[in-house]
Amino acid sequence: MASIAIDFSGTMCIEPKIPQPMVAEENETRNRMKASEPSYLQHSHEEHIPENELRCDEKVTGTEALDKGYLEYGCSHYRRRCHIRAPCCNEIFNCRHCHNEAKNNICIDQKLRHDLPRHLVEKVLCSLCDTEQEVQQVCKNCGVCMGRYYCGICKLFDDDTSKEQYHCDGCGICRIGGSNNFFHCNKCGCCYSSLLKSSHPCVERAMHQDCPVCFEYLFESRNDVIALLCGHTIHKTCLEEMQEHFQYACPICSKSVCDMSKVWEKFDLEIAATPMPPYCENKMVWILCNDCGCNSEVKYHVVAHKCPNCKSYNTRQTRGGGR
């Protein structure tokens, strides 16, 4: 059977009609081909390669070629089956972190030190066949999958998918931990645990700053970052190191980083057991509470001064008094 149609010139033309069984057979064949593709490739193509990104034109018939060398290549940062060519210095590295460590080494002239922005990578080299090619997930020469997780935006390859990598459009980079476990806060400018979605205090661009202890840029840090009660951010290991030295105040705003009520009770007992000499009994001083921000006039004591508003001892003396 054929249907009659009018072409753009206005003349009659015969348009062949594909028999229905043929269409069904073609769809079934296409579905079988898609089902035979490894799931991690389907996921990567659908979610991490923009439409304008170059895709691999080679057809891989099985998973043996794709999985060759799986978890056998890579560096201390990623398990992957490719190297990158850094466009800034035209040198080859395992990953951008390897580049940054090498090019920011203390032995390098300070004027020559630099980082490699992840989005600028344009060329990769297959670790198995050394073929240099455009950034893509599957090697165009040997057909190996260069990374089970692949992001065409960040140019990221990683065979270790146990990290649960995902690309955050708000951050503009890839994160780990699973997209279902994190949310992006537009005001803070970063991803936080879903447990903090309704409770974390928002601070403008809180993650776009250096750690107040080690001074590493937090937004791109590969170490765990914690949001304090005040909203400021810090490395988890740096906070633990502070607590080992009995430092429990935020290095930026001096607010308490945890519930200190039990400690304040001990201060009450210590002050009660330490009476002041007669000439200081009625001395008054002004204090500023680091926790609630309240200014108060209180009795002077050599141990500590308690905020009458929030009952915190995290205070500082602003000026003395003569009474």
Side-chain angles (χ1 to χ4, degrees), residues 5-136:
I6 306 295
D7 66 3
F8 292 105
S9 62
T11 59
M12 304 287 288
C13 63
I14 303 297
E15 183 180 31
K17 187 174 183 180
I18 301 176
Q20 191 63 30
M22 185 183 298
V23 175
E25 182 179 351
E26 182 180 351
N27 290 337
E28 184 179 353
T29 303
R30 187 182 297 111
N31 292 335
R32 284 201 304 268
M33 291 177 63
K34 185 175 181 181
S36 64
E37 186 180 36
S39 59
Y40 56 83
L41 281 184
Q42 296 176 20
H43 176 78
S44 299
H45 289 332
E46 293 172 0
E47 294 189 13
H48 300 294
I49 303 182
E51 293 182 358
N52 60 350
E53 286 287 330
L54 180 65
R55 295 174 183 265
C56 181
D57 295 326
E58 296 289 332
K59 292 184 179 180
V60 181
T61 57
T63 59
E64 184 176 351
L66 290 170
D67 290 338
K68 187 176 181 181
Y70 173 62
L71 293 179
E72 296 178 8
Y73 298 86
C75 59
S76 60
H77 308 107
Y78 303 108
R79 306 309 300 169
R80 61 205 301 183
R81 286 163 278 179
C82 67
H83 306 284
I84 62 172
R85 182 177 291 279
C88 48
C89 51
N90 201 34
E91 296 182 27
I92 297 173
F93 296 89
N94 282 319
C95 70
R96 70 181 186 89
H97 295 297
C98 292
H99 168 278
N100 295 343
E101 290 175 359
K103 294 302 179 179
N104 289 288
N105 191 283
I106 193 171
C107 299
I108 301 295
D109 186 342
Q110 193 169 6
K111 295 180 180 179
L112 301 178
R113 297 176 190 175
H114 64 280
D115 289 334
L116 170 60
R118 70 193 76 199
H119 306 96
L120 298 184
V121 176
E122 297 178 349
K123 298 287 186 179
V124 296
L125 289 85
C126 176
S127 298
L128 279 76
C129 67
D130 292 328
T131 301
E132 186 167 354
Q133 56 203 285
E134 301 291 330
V135 176
Q136 53 194 324

Side-chain angles (χ1 to χ4, degrees), residues 213-262:
V213 175
C214 68
F215 303 109
E216 181 187 5
Y217 187 49
L218 292 173
F219 183 72
E220 295 185 347
S221 176
R222 292 182 291 114
N223 300 317
D224 292 339
V225 177
I226 290 180
L228 303 177
L229 297 176
C230 55
H232 294 119
T233 49
I234 187 175
H235 281 133
K236 181 181 178 182
T237 52
C238 292
L239 178 61
E240 291 172 349
E241 186 176 349
M242 284 176 51
Q243 293 174 339
E244 289 176 1
H245 292 82
F246 307 104
Q247 299 294 322
Y248 300 100
C250 172
I252 299 176
C253 66
S254 297
K255 288 187 177 181
S256 299
V257 299
C258 57
D259 182 10
M260 300 289 289
S261 57
K262 297 296 183 182

Side-chain angles (χ1 to χ4, degrees), residues 106-301:
I106 193 171
C107 299
I108 301 295
D109 186 342
Q110 193 169 6
K111 295 180 180 179
L112 301 178
R113 297 176 190 175
H114 64 280
D115 289 334
L116 170 60
R118 70 193 76 199
H119 306 96
L120 298 184
V121 176
E122 297 178 349
K123 298 287 186 179
V124 296
L125 289 85
C126 176
S127 298
L128 279 76
C129 67
D130 292 328
T131 301
E132 186 167 354
Q133 56 203 285
E134 301 291 330
V135 176
Q136 53 194 324
Q137 187 178 20
V138 178
C139 176
K140 67 179 183 180
N141 181 49
C142 66
V144 71
C145 175
M146 293 184 282
R148 286 196 173 184
Y149 175 83
Y150 166 69
C151 177
I153 300 175
C154 298
K155 317 299 172 62
L156 176 62
F157 300 79
D158 199 350
D159 272 335
D160 184 8
T161 55
S162 64
K163 301 174 185 176
E164 298 185 70
Q165 304 93 329
Y166 69 97
H167 181 85
C168 174
D169 292 327
C171 292
I173 60 176
C174 289
R175 300 286 188 188
I176 62 174
S179 58
N180 295 330
N181 300 321
F182 292 86
F183 75 99
H184 181 83
C185 176
N186 292 322
K187 184 175 181 179
C188 295
C190 190
C191 290
Y192 287 131
S193 170
S194 299
L195 300 175
L196 301 175
K197 191 167 186 177
S198 59
S199 61
H200 84 284
C202 283
V203 174
E204 190 76 27
R205 296 177 63 82
M207 291 289 290
H208 294 262
Q209 61 179 355
D210 296 337
C211 173
V213 175
C214 68
F215 303 109
E216 181 187 5
Y217 187 49
L218 292 173
F219 183 72
E220 295 185 347
S221 176
R222 292 182 291 114
N223 300 317
D224 292 339
V225 177
I226 290 180
L228 303 177
L229 297 176
C230 55
H232 294 119
T233 49
I234 187 175
H235 281 133
K236 181 181 178 182
T237 52
C238 292
L239 178 61
E240 291 172 349
E241 186 176 349
M242 284 176 51
Q243 293 174 339
E244 289 176 1
H245 292 82
F246 307 104
Q247 299 294 322
Y248 300 100
C250 172
I252 299 176
C253 66
S254 297
K255 288 187 177 181
S256 299
V257 299
C258 57
D259 182 10
M260 300 289 289
S261 57
K262 297 296 183 182
V263 178
W264 303 154
E265 291 176 3
K266 293 182 179 180
F267 269 84
D268 287 336
L269 297 175
E270 181 69 21
I271 290 175
T274 311
M276 294 296 292
Y279 65 89
C280 291
E281 284 183 352
N282 297 321
K283 183 178 180 181
M284 303 295 290
V285 294
W286 282 90
I287 62 170
L288 171 66
C289 180
N290 295 321
D291 286 338
C292 69
C294 181
N295 282 285
S296 307
E297 189 179 23
V298 298
K299 279 190 175 183
Y300 171 78
H301 199 282

